[in-house]
């Protein structure tokens, strides 16, 4: 059973899906059918740019909700790719819309959840606006962004992986971080 506000939905609204690394939950321009909650593992929302570069829009971890906009959109605006084996709960769009009409508690809880996400996205935009790669990485690490590979960190904070490695080396040289293994760093 899901926690609030999703506990207000009918039991048939939610379906658990076991995922493997590389599984695609939906593709950009595909007709929307629901939003998702990560139970375990990671799911990356991404778009491929005109030059072939992959832009990570969001990385959802355990407890994270994604594809919320699908409730009010005809098509998904990006791809959802599982980057680690785990499971997700798919929450049916039609049931979310119906429950918004019939349950003020659900509507308020869902709106509150979305408001918190807006605050988190604004903080992420603020992070991306930091011009110095070293400072951006330091803030990102302090905010808990560095929980996977250096390449994934670079993608999440809009740096090339080369710039990310250079900045990490510089942060180590400056005494702000310590390299503890291949591709592994910690704050000093």
């Amino acid at each position: 059973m899901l926690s609030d506000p999703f506990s207000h939905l009918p039991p048939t609204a939610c379906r658990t899906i076991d995922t493997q690394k590389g599984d695609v939950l939906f593709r950009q321009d595909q007709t929307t059918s629901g939003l998702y909650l990560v139970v375990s593992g990671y799911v990356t929302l991404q778009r491929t740019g005109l030059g072939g570069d992959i832009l990570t829009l969001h990385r959802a971890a355990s407890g994270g909700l994604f594809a919320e906009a699908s409730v009010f959109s005809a098509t998904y605006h990006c791809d959802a790719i599982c980057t680690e084996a785990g499971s997700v709960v798919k929450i049916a769009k039609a049931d979310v819309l119906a429950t918004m009409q019939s349950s003020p508690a659900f509507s308020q809880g869902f709106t509150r959840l979305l408001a918190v996400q807006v605050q988190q996205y604004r903080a992420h935009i603020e992070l991306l606006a930091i011009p110095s790669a070293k400072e951006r990485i330091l803030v990102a690490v302090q905010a808990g962004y560095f929980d996977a590979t250096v390449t994934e960190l670079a993608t999440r904070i809009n740096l090339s992986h080369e710039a990310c490695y250079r900045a990490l080396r510089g942060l180590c040289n400056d005494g702000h971080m310590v390299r503890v293994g291949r591709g592994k760093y910690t704050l000093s």
Side-chain angles (χ1 to χ4, degrees), residues 3 29 35 38 45-46 49 52 54 64 67 70 82 93 100-101 110-111 115 124 128 130 134 139 156 163 179 181 186:
S3 61
D29 298 325
L35 59 150
V38 178
L45 301 184
Q46 60 190 36
I54 294 174
S70 69
C82 301
K93 173 182 177 173
M100 288 179 87
Q101 295 293 318
F110 190 58
T111 302
H124 184 73
L128 295 177
I130 298 171
K134 286 176 18 178
V139 171
R156 288 177 74 189
R179 183 173 182 239
T186 187

Side-chain angles (χ1 to χ4, degrees), residues 116-133:
V116 168
Q117 287 186 330
V118 167
Q119 291 172 327
Q120 291 169 342
Y121 294 144
R122 287 181 179 155
H124 184 73
I125 290 168
E126 203 174 304
L127 173 101
L128 295 177
I130 298 171
S132 160

Side-chain angles (χ1 to χ4, degrees), residues 9-148:
L9 293 168
T12 57
C14 301
R15 179 172 57 98
T16 301
I17 302 169
D18 292 325
T19 62
Q20 298 301 315
K21 182 178 181 177
D23 283 356
V24 177
L25 297 172
F26 56 79
R27 291 274 184 203
Q28 184 174 351
D29 298 325
Q30 181 181 332
T31 300
T32 58
S33 57
L35 59 150
Y36 295 80
L37 178 72
V38 178
V39 177
S40 62
Y42 293 96
V43 178
T44 300
L45 301 184
Q46 60 190 36
R47 283 192 196 137
T48 304
L50 296 176
D53 293 331
I54 294 174
L55 172 65
T56 298
L57 304 172
H58 180 64
R59 182 170 181 260
S62 181
L65 194 64
F66 65 96
E68 306 88 329
S70 69
V71 174
F72 299 105
S73 180
T75 59
Y76 291 107
H77 70 281
C78 60
D79 298 340
I81 313 293
C82 301
T83 56
E84 185 177 288
S87 66
V88 298
V89 173
K90 182 175 183 179
I91 304 167
K93 173 182 177 173
D95 289 314
V96 170
L97 289 169
T99 307
M100 288 179 87
Q101 295 293 318
S102 65
S103 172
F106 174 76
S107 294
Q108 287 179 352
F110 190 58
T111 302
R112 187 177 304 109
L113 188 140
L114 296 176
V116 168
Q117 287 186 330
V118 167
Q119 291 172 327
Q120 291 169 342
Y121 294 144
R122 287 181 179 155
H124 184 73
I125 290 168
E126 203 174 304
L127 173 101
L128 295 177
I130 298 171
S132 160
K134 286 176 18 178
E135 186 179 343
R136 190 181 312 171
I137 288 172
L138 194 56
V139 171
V141 170
Q142 291 168 338
Y145 279 55
F146 195 14
D147 56 0

